[in-house]
Amino acid sequence: MPPPPTNDEDHQRRLEEASAVCARGRQYWTRDNNAKLALQEFEHALQLLETLLGTYHSLTAKTYYWLGFIRKHDPTTYEEALQAFVQTARIRLVLLGPSQEATQEAISAIRWVLSHQQHKSNEDIKTFLNQLYESIRLETLGDARLRHREYSSAIEYYQQAMDTFPDPKHATIMGKRAFCHFKGGGELDVAMDWYRKALLVFTTQTVHGKSHPDVPSTLERMEQVLQAQGTYTPDTIQSYLCLLYTSD
């Protein structure tokens, strides 16, 4: 997710706020050993940073890493820790490549959680990581096709990326695939279905919940599809909003 345009002064103020929130989170963890409060602060920081800087930024990755690091100390949150470390690795692999120290930090964390969570063998862990690497490679190829408006080819790569590394949180890929169906072949019903899936993941399976920064853009895209179908009314989108903000 790229960051939205914003006023420079407000942008800087909110970045400073995010920095202060991260500092409080580190203090709660390192000084007070209070995981609950530390997680609350880092989740708040992630909402700020992912909105301001986008997903693929080093500070966003670092915040995901902190969330994973704290959660890995609680056996009941190993799965959440793994998801946070996978997202850290995904961002750093795209930004830095596999050999950088920061990327290897995330990979080592994934290895730790897999070995302690489900007692995975070294071979199983290797397979998991290879699937992650391949999924990112395929998504990147899909992005390149998307930039060149080769929508059918992009869809194939996005599907392969999701199949290669099964992850219920492939919401970003789902949204890009929906866009391809919409713009490429006018497959409006298919596009709407993928946007719905992405919206559900953004709002129910991420730390952001209903305040996920991709929710407004996804709703906007859904509105465009409805307009193309000739079925758009303000009440139609409002019905989606009602589902989002009244159901838990």
Side-chain angles (χ1 to χ4, degrees), residues 50-149:
E50 202 155 17
T51 301
L52 292 168
L53 303 175
T55 300
Y56 288 91
H57 191 280
S58 60
L59 292 179
T60 305
K62 186 65 175 177
T63 308
Y64 271 113
Y65 183 85
W66 267 103
L67 289 168
F69 182 79
I70 294 169
R71 286 174 173 143
K72 80 169 189 174
H73 289 81
D74 181 352
T76 67
T77 58
Y78 275 168
E79 185 60 36
E80 291 90 339
L82 178 62
Q83 292 169 359
F85 286 140
V86 165
Q87 185 69 340
T88 305
R90 181 179 293 276
I91 296 169
R92 289 176 175 174
L93 282 163
V94 171
L95 293 178
L96 305 173
S99 61
Q100 292 297 312
E101 182 178 350
T103 306
Q104 287 304 308
E105 176 186 53
I107 298 301
S108 295
I110 290 172
R111 290 181 180 277
W112 188 94
V113 175
L114 287 174
S115 63
H116 284 73
Q117 178 197 26
Q118 298 178 355
H119 305 289
K120 296 286 188 181
S121 67
N122 288 336
E123 191 61 33
D124 287 339
I125 294 171
K126 181 180 178 181
T127 298
F128 181 96
L129 292 172
N130 285 340
Q131 289 172 341
L132 175 61
Y133 298 151
E134 180 64 5
S135 175
I136 293 170
R137 186 185 73 83
L138 290 166
E139 182 182 359
T140 301
L141 289 172
D143 291 345
R145 298 299 187 275
L146 176 57
R147 286 193 295 272
H148 288 89
R149 300 183 181 180

Side-chain angles (χ1 to χ4, degrees), residues 145 149-158 180-181 184-185 187:
R145 298 299 187 275
R149 300 183 181 180
E150 298 173 13
Y151 299 115
S152 295
S153 181
I155 288 170
E156 291 179 9
Y157 279 119
Y158 290 144
C180 291
H181 284 292
E187 300 174 279

